[in-house]
Amino acid sequence: LGLIRSYWSLLLGNIVEWYEYAVYGYLAVFLEDHFFRGSEIGVWLGFGVTFLARPLGGVVMGVVGDRLGRGAAVNISIVGMLVGTCGQGMLPTYASGNETLGHIGLVLLIVLRFVQGLSAAGEIGTIATYITEVGSPHMLGRSIAMISITCNAGFLLAKFVVYAVTLALGVEAVKDWAWRLPFIFALVPGLIAVWGRRGVPESDMFLEQQLQAQARASEENPEVPLRRSTTSQVSAVVRAHWVNMAIGAGAVAGFAILQYGGFVWGQSFIAHAGMSVDDRMVVGLCSRVLMIALAMPVGWLTDVMGVGWVTFVGALGLTLCGVPLWAALQQNPDDLSTVLMTLSVGFGILGSLIGTVPFYFVVELFPTAVRNTAVCISFNIGFAFFGGLAPIVAQASLQASPLGPGILYAVGGFISALNVLLGLCLQRRDIVQLAHVRRSAP
């Protein structure tokens, strides 16, 4: 509760980040006609543009966070996210009947999604870094679980807003123009978060590291500037920590694929299969509420057993259950009971295990001096590659085999599990250090 009272604006901004990703996915069936001339693959390629921008955004915002502070990074990121999100709801489309306006709208959509990806890349990495640095060392699993709760709250809010707009105005109105409203609605929580972030203090770990760096620089050569160029700083981080960064990027594979290739793309799949708007709302509501309810127990389990253990168990579960759960869902995708038991409950439990603390796993891989840069790059490369491609691969794999998406989920879980085991093996050989935060805690 103390964490919420002190840093609610950070958590609210995190809701805005995940809200936008979810809104696009939930409105994909309408955006197909407005921007992509009815192409299902096209609309998911547009979805992937945001992820394409995440690695670059991770570099830029990561460096900002390590140089100017975590507070500066999260303030810049929330403003960029609002511009990118709300702007998408104000674009001209091909539905206007004017080809030129349609082309302009499509180009601007890509640009705005790129801006949104640049900004969001710094948001999640910096918040995960900040909460890990200010949270109690003995409750870091439960502290980081707040990110998972707000992440799922963002998806839940997006689902609710889309459903409310559809219920109030009707499907035809949403197809015609009301699809814009959920994008513009992001202004409400976004502006509140901007106001609340004005006085967010820096973490003690960051301030201590800055003082130590300044002292070392003064002792060695007081006439040499403390800061290096962005390029040299990023190059130095990659050279020194590339193994840890690769482990972090691979460890989030299962979470990223299940999040966007399962829960988000899955909503589009059951919509095309004929499931009603009301039933899809129930499915989305149950899965997100379940993951929110399980977040704190999983956080507690992390504090007891360790973040690597929880991440591995979740990844192994997805590897073993991805295909069977999808096979059951695919047999009857318009039946509410079937979809609830598979997509909501089955994948919801797996999602809580693999998706509650991956941020914590990645943050632990790096020391304070380079943590924000390394986390933003590592996490966003993993999410960009695995999460951005997941809906496209899921859609394409479905055309190749009815079990295609299930195989995709299983592969994602296997990659995550493999990277956790790889990290443990390399740590035993003193090649990497997996626990920088807990090892330095009193």
Side-chain angles (χ1 to χ4, degrees):
L1 292 178
L3 186 70
I4 297 175
R5 285 194 297 268
S6 300
Y7 308 110
W8 61 268
S9 60
L10 299 180
L11 298 173
L12 181 59
N14 195 47
I15 291 176
V16 174
E17 173 187 352
W18 299 100
Y19 171 89
E20 191 282 335
Y21 281 98
V23 158
Y24 185 100
Y26 295 149
L27 293 172
V29 292
F30 305 114
L31 300 178
E32 288 175 13
D33 295 326
H34 283 279
F35 293 101
F36 301 97
R37 302 181 186 275
S39 170
E40 291 181 38
I41 292 292
V43 75
W44 292 114
L45 285 171
F47 181 79
V49 168
T50 303
F51 291 87
L52 185 65
R54 288 190 77 117
L56 178 59
V59 171
V60 174
M61 300 306 297
V63 171
V64 169
D66 280 336
R67 284 189 174 184
L68 304 181
R70 317 315 192 201
V74 295
N75 281 317
I76 294 172
S77 67
I78 187 65
V79 172
M81 285 194 304
L82 281 180
V83 171
T85 302
C86 298
Q88 292 174 62
M90 304 176 184
L91 299 177
T93 72
Y94 288 111
S96 64
N98 187 307
E99 285 291 304
T100 301
L101 287 178
H103 293 328
I104 292 173
L106 177 58
V107 171
L108 289 178
L109 176 70
I110 301 303
V111 170
L112 288 172
R113 289 199 62 75
F114 198 86
V115 169
Q116 203 277 337
L118 286 174
S119 305
E123 179 76 9
I124 185 62
T126 304
I127 289 179
T129 297
Y130 186 85
I131 289 180
T132 303
E133 291 178 349
V134 301
S136 168
H138 308 294
M139 297 180 61
L140 286 179
R142 280 161 284 183
S143 296
I144 243 15
M146 290 304 305
I147 295 180
S148 175
I149 290 174
T150 53
C151 163
N152 285 297
F155 280 91
L156 194 60
L157 178 62
K159 188 65 181 172
F160 174 77
V161 171
V162 171
Y163 177 77
V165 170
T166 304
L167 188 65
L169 302 175
V171 175
E172 291 304 315
V174 176
K175 287 181 180 179
D176 184 29
W177 63 272
W179 60 269
R180 301 175 181 274
L181 299 181
F183 286 104
I184 299 172
F185 174 79
L187 271 175
V188 178
L191 290 177
I192 295 174
V194 170
W195 174 80
R197 290 184 178 192
R198 294 175 303 164
V200 173
E202 288 298 340
S203 72
D204 291 339
M205 281 189 186
F206 173 78
L207 294 175
E208 182 181 349
Q209 185 277 325
Q210 289 291 93
L211 290 174
Q212 292 174 355
Q214 291 173 358
R216 286 195 303 269
S218 298
E219 291 173 2
E220 293 171 3
N221 191 340
E223 297 183 2
V224 176
L226 177 62
R227 292 175 178 170
R228 297 175 293 180
S229 69
T230 299
T231 302
S232 63
Q233 179 175 337
V234 172
S235 298
V237 171
V238 173
R239 285 196 304 271
H241 302 282
W242 69 269
V243 176
N244 296 56
M245 293 171 75
I247 291 171
V252 303
F255 172 47
I257 288 174
L258 183 59
Q259 187 75 274
Y260 295 106
F263 296 115
V264 175
W265 175 82
Q267 283 284 325
S268 177
F269 170 76
I270 59 178
H272 283 290
M275 180 169 281
S276 69
V277 172
D278 290 344
D279 285 352
R280 296 202 307 272
M281 176 63 186
V282 172
V283 170
L285 178 67
C286 289
S287 61
R288 295 299 169 182
V289 168
L290 178 60
M291 286 189 282
I292 289 173
L294 292 176
M296 278 301 168
V298 171
W300 171 83
L301 188 62
T302 301
D303 290 327
V304 174
M305 300 299 298
V307 65
W309 188 89
V310 171
T311 304
F312 178 77
V313 169
L316 184 62
L318 185 59
T319 303
L320 298 176
C321 300
V323 174
L325 282 172
W326 176 260
L329 187 155
Q330 205 271 339
Q331 288 294 319
N332 204 357
D334 60 346
D335 177 68
L336 179 59
S337 298
T338 300
V339 178
L340 280 175
M341 291 304 298
T342 53
L343 187 59
S344 296
V345 177
F347 284 120
I349 293 173
L350 292 174
S352 66
L353 285 171
I354 201 171
T356 297
V357 292
F359 322 99
Y360 181 19
F361 182 87
V362 178
V363 170
E364 277 273 44
L365 293 170
F366 309 103
T368 305
V370 300
R371 183 171 294 142
N372 206 70
T373 300
V375 169
C376 286
I377 295 175
S378 177
F379 185 87
N380 284 296
I381 286 177
F383 247 64
F385 183 76
F386 297 109
L389 290 177
I392 303 168
V393 175
Q395 184 67 46
S397 69
L398 184 64
Q399 298 171 5
S401 168
L403 295 178
I407 296 172
L408 173 65
Y409 308 150
V411 169
F414 177 76
I415 293 172
S416 290
L418 185 64
N419 275 271
V420 174
L421 292 177
L422 177 63
L424 291 173
C425 291
L426 293 178
Q427 180 171 251
R428 288 175 181 174
R429 297 182 181 183
D430 291 325
I431 297 175
V432 301
Q433 179 181 329
L434 297 181
H436 283 85
V437 179
R438 285 169 293 169
R439 181 167 294 187
S440 62

